[in-house]
Amino acid sequence: MENSFKYFKNIECKYFPCHKDVKEFNCLFCYCPLYHLNNCPGTYKMIEKNGRIIKSCVDCSFPHEAENYKEIIKNLHDEMT
């Protein structure tokens, strides 16, 4: 897949790939824009860290899968309306 407004791959990043087993790894959403949303479709877990409950996305590759671009944009739009 070519770099575009929906897809970007940065193979020179020292963290690339930050998740394994993603066919077309998309770096466009390096920091997940869905992290703070309640309707996140990814596979996150709520964990305890330093006495607080936080969202852990360590095992989630949802924003890095190229085919999920439209769903990410839809979730962001739905959250704003």
Side-chain angles (χ1 to χ4, degrees):
M1 185 176 273
E2 290 185 37
N3 288 342
S4 71
F5 72 96
K6 293 185 197 179
Y7 179 85
F8 173 74
K9 184 187 290 188
N10 182 8
I11 59 173
E12 294 180 17
C13 175
K14 69 179 183 176
Y15 301 108
F16 183 84
C18 59
H19 296 277
K20 307 292 184 229
D21 302 325
V22 178
K23 183 179 175 187
E24 290 290 337
F25 198 92
N26 191 357
C27 299
L28 183 65
F29 300 114
C30 176
Y31 173 80
C32 183
L34 305 175
Y35 180 81
H36 294 288
L37 303 185
N38 293 325
N39 63 340
C40 175
T43 54
Y44 65 90
K45 294 183 255 181
M46 300 306 286
I47 64 168
E48 186 274 327
K49 184 172 184 176
N50 299 327
R52 296 181 6 191
I53 302 296
I54 63 167
K55 188 177 189 177
S56 172
C57 305
V58 171
D59 297 325
C60 181
S61 61
F62 188 84
H64 300 297
E65 296 169 10
E67 65 271 11
N68 292 333
Y69 176 84
K70 283 185 179 181
E71 189 168 352
I72 290 170
I73 298 303
K74 181 187 178 319
N75 276 278
L76 291 172
H77 178 268
D78 291 350
E79 186 71 19
M80 296 171 76
T81 57

